[in-house]
Amino acid sequence: MSLSASQLKDLEVALADRLYLQVAGWHLYLGDAGLAQTLAIECAARIDQGSTVCARQALEAVQVPIGGGVTRLPLARLMPTGQLRDLEEVLEPFCG
């Protein structure tokens, strides 16, 4: 199963305002950080694996440049634990 272009856009929009990075107590939503589309694409590539596996693998696959790109960290390392469950919930309707 793969996502259509409109489903991919719907997923991106859902991720943009619901999920965020947390750095020093600040919340930076993925839409504002420019990462929602990248995460949506990574999720779409893994959507057949179910929401739990898809969410974990996609968060590890997205590499976020830090300090002008000198360092890159997996998105999973910059998100609070509760955000993983939120991502799984967003993905569930797309995994059906």
Side-chain angles (χ1 to χ4, degrees):
M1 177 183 156
S2 63
L3 298 181
S4 68
S6 66
Q7 287 175 312
L8 183 61
K9 186 62 177 171
D10 290 345
L11 178 57
E12 178 184 344
V13 169
L15 298 174
D17 293 331
R18 182 157 179 194
L19 299 178
Y20 57 84
L21 311 173
Q22 185 172 355
V23 179
W26 289 79
H27 293 178
L28 177 59
Y29 284 86
L30 296 189
D32 296 333
L35 295 169
Q37 182 181 35
T38 303
L39 182 57
I41 291 168
E42 291 294 340
C43 288
R46 297 164 173 78
I47 206 76
D48 291 340
Q49 299 178 29
S51 62
T52 302
V53 172
C54 177
R56 292 177 191 278
Q57 288 184 358
L59 287 175
E60 289 295 330
V62 175
Q63 297 291 308
V64 180
I66 306 293
V70 174
T71 302
R72 297 175 81 77
L73 292 175
L75 183 54
R77 302 228 2 234
L78 299 170
M79 293 177 74
T81 307
Q83 290 287 279
L84 175 61
R85 182 65 198 138
D86 288 346
L87 176 56
E88 291 170 2
E89 289 175 8
V90 169
L91 291 174
E92 284 170 7
F94 295 95
C95 291

